[in-house]
Short mmCIF file of all heavy atoms in Angstrom, two decimals:
data_model
loop_
_atom_site.label_atom_id
_atom_site.label_comp_id
_atom_site.label_asym_id
_atom_site.label_seq_id
_atom_site.Cartn_x
_atom_site.Cartn_y
_atom_site.Cartn_z
N ALA A 87 28.78 -9.30 193.98
CA ALA A 87 29.04 -9.38 195.42
C ALA A 87 28.39 -8.25 196.20
O ALA A 87 28.62 -8.12 197.41
CB ALA A 87 30.55 -9.36 195.68
N LEU A 197 53.24 -2.74 193.55
CA LEU A 197 53.37 -1.57 194.40
C LEU A 197 52.26 -0.55 194.15
O LEU A 197 51.69 0.01 195.09
CB LEU A 197 54.74 -0.92 194.19
CG LEU A 197 55.02 0.35 195.03
CD1 LEU A 197 54.92 0.05 196.52
CD2 LEU A 197 56.40 0.91 194.67
N GLU A 205 45.23 3.67 200.34
CA GLU A 205 44.42 4.89 200.32
C GLU A 205 42.94 4.56 200.50
O GLU A 205 42.22 5.26 201.22
CB GLU A 205 44.65 5.64 199.01
CG GLU A 205 46.05 6.24 198.89
CD GLU A 205 46.29 6.89 197.54
OE1 GLU A 205 45.43 6.72 196.63
OE2 GLU A 205 47.33 7.55 197.37
N SER A 218 48.87 -9.07 207.84
CA SER A 218 49.72 -8.72 206.70
C SER A 218 51.18 -8.94 207.06
O SER A 218 51.63 -8.55 208.14
CB SER A 218 49.51 -7.26 206.29
OG SER A 218 50.34 -6.93 205.19
N VAL A 232 45.86 -6.76 217.88
CA VAL A 232 45.37 -7.93 218.59
C VAL A 232 46.35 -9.07 218.32
O VAL A 232 46.55 -9.47 217.17
CB VAL A 232 43.94 -8.31 218.14
CG1 VAL A 232 43.55 -9.67 218.70
CG2 VAL A 232 42.94 -7.25 218.57
#
Side-chain angles (χ1 to χ4, degrees):
L197 180 59
E205 291 176 351
S218 180
V232 170

